[in-house]
Amino acid sequence: MRLGVLGDIHANHMALEAVLAQIYAEDYDGLIFVGDYVTDCPYPRKTVEILRNIPERYRTWFIRGNREDYIIGYGKNPHGWEYGSKSGALLYTFEELAAEDIEWFAQMPVSINAELEGCPAFIACHGSPDSNRYLFHAETPEAERIIEEMNCGLMVCGHSHTPYIFRRGNKMIVNGGALGMPQNGQTCAQFAKLEYDGEWRAEIVSVEYDIESEVAEFYESGLIRKSGIWGRGIIATIRNGVNYTVNCLYEVQRLAAKRGLTVTDENLWREAADNISMPD
C-alpha cells in the first residue's frame, strides 16, 4: 500500500503539476491532501481544477487548511481586505475563485480518522486534529503531547512548511513539507510517500519544477502589483527556500507597534523588506 501526502500548495500549480506527474508515473494507491491549496501564488483556479480532476483510480482525501478558512470567512463577511502588501494576495485569490470552489473548500473537514483496506486507520489534518491553525514542529513538547494522545499509529499533517518524520515507539507523525512554498533552503516541491506492508514507512520526496515560469505568472497575472511587498516575498521564498513573507510581517508588526502605525502602511513594508534583506 502506497499513499502520497501533499499539502501547502499555496496555488503553485506548476509545482503541483510536477509532483503529480511523478506520482502518476509510479504505483500509488491513494492521495491525502492536507490543506492550504490556494493563496499567495497566481491563478488559484488552475490549482483547484487540477485537484478536482485527480484521476478516478486514486482514492483521495481532502482536508481544509487555514487558508481555505480565510477565503470562506471573507465570502461570508467581505470587508477588511484591500490590495497592498497586507491582504492583497488574499483579495486577489478570493476574486479569482468561483463560488463553487469556495463551497468545495467549505465541505472539507478540518481532520479525519481515515481507513483504507490493506492498512490501519490514520489521522489526517492540516495543523492538528483539533485546529487547522495549530502550529507545531517535530521534537517539541507539543509534538510529544500530540503523538502521545494519538489513538492510532500514524498522523499526517502540514501547516509548518517544514518536512519531518517524527517517531515515538510504534507511532509516527509525518509532515510532507510545503509542496508549493518549501523552506529551509529547499526550492524543490516536496511531498511525503507512505508505504505500509505490516508497518508504516515514510519518505520525504523532492521534485524539481520550473520556478521561473511560476515567477513569470506573478507579473502576467497582475498579482505582483496587487500584493506589493508580500508578492515580492513569495517570489523570493520560492526562489530561495526562505520564508521572507512571514519574517517581513513580523518586522512590520514590530515597527508598527513601536511607532503607533498600522500594519497596512506600505512604507513600513518597504522598510521591513530592507531590514530583513529581502531579495528584489
Side-chain angles (χ1 to χ4, degrees):
M1 181 65 63
R2 178 179 293 172
L3 304 175
V5 182
L6 299 78
D8 294 285
I9 299 165
H10 289 272
N12 189 338
H13 70 92
M14 293 189 180
L16 176 60
E17 288 163 356
V19 165
L20 288 177
Q22 178 162 318
I23 287 173
Y24 294 163
E26 299 179 4
D27 185 20
Y28 281 75
D29 299 286
L31 302 176
I32 310 164
F33 294 91
V34 294
D36 278 12
Y37 309 112
V38 295
T39 73
D40 296 321
C41 288
Y43 302 128
R45 287 218 78 198
K46 291 186 178 182
T47 293
V48 173
E49 288 169 1
I50 292 167
L51 294 175
R52 299 192 74 172
N53 287 283
I54 299 292
E56 292 184 0
R57 68 180 182 272
Y58 296 98
R59 175 73 185 274
T60 58
W61 297 265
F62 288 95
I63 302 301
R64 190 172 77 246
N66 58 294
R67 294 295 179 143
E68 285 73 58
D69 276 353
Y70 297 164
I71 297 299
I72 294 165
Y74 187 78
K76 294 177 179 178
N77 187 18
H79 76 280
W81 289 356
E82 58 186 19
Y83 288 136
S85 300
K86 179 62 171 61
S87 56
L90 292 169
L91 181 57
Y92 165 87
T93 298
F94 180 83
E95 292 180 344
E96 287 285 311
L97 292 171
E100 65 189 53
D101 302 326
I102 300 173
E103 178 59 28
W104 184 54
F105 296 154
Q107 293 173 2
M108 296 176 184
V110 171
S111 68
I112 57 171
N113 284 74
E115 295 185 3
L116 182 65
E117 185 178 355
C119 66
F122 59 88
I123 298 169
C125 57
H126 180 65
S128 76
D130 300 319
S131 171
N132 60 12
R133 301 188 189 191
Y134 189 81
L135 180 64
F136 72 95
H137 297 273
E139 309 292 343
T140 62
E142 291 85 357
E144 298 284 358
R145 177 185 61 79
I146 289 171
I147 204 167
E148 174 68 23
E149 294 175 354
M150 283 167 48
N151 60 4
C152 61
L154 172 69
M155 185 176 90
V156 297
C157 61
H159 194 39
S160 71
H161 290 211
T162 304
Y164 57 79
I165 300 167
F166 178 58
R167 292 182 181 272
R168 283 292 182 268
N170 61 353
K171 294 181 180 181
M172 177 170 65
I173 300 176
V174 177
N175 188 318
L179 188 153
M181 207 172 298
Q183 296 182 16
N184 298 328
Q186 173 65 256
T187 57
C188 290
Q190 292 187 304
F191 72 102
K193 178 195 295 185
L194 299 175
E195 293 184 339
Y196 183 79
D197 59 0
E199 65 177 336
W200 286 109
R201 296 192 304 274
E203 174 187 355
I204 305 300
V205 181
S206 298
V207 181
E208 293 184 352
Y209 73 100
D210 189 345
I211 291 173
E212 290 310 313
S213 290
E214 179 66 27
V215 169
E217 289 194 345
F218 277 78
Y219 296 89
E220 172 191 290
S221 66
L223 175 56
I224 192 65
R225 173 176 52 80
K226 296 176 179 179
S227 60
I229 298 298
W230 186 272
R232 179 180 147 198
I234 296 296
I235 290 173
T237 294
I238 64 177
R239 277 176 167 164
N240 299 283
V242 177
N243 197 342
Y244 286 105
T245 51
V246 171
N247 293 343
C248 191
L249 175 60
Y250 290 160
E251 178 64 5
V252 168
Q253 291 172 338
R254 186 188 71 82
L255 293 172
K258 180 179 179 180
R259 299 173 187 173
L261 299 173
T262 68
V263 293
T264 58
D265 189 311
E266 289 296 326
N267 290 324
L268 290 185
W269 282 87
R270 286 188 285 270
E271 182 179 351
D274 289 340
N275 290 351
I276 68 166
S277 301
M278 180 187 292
D280 292 327

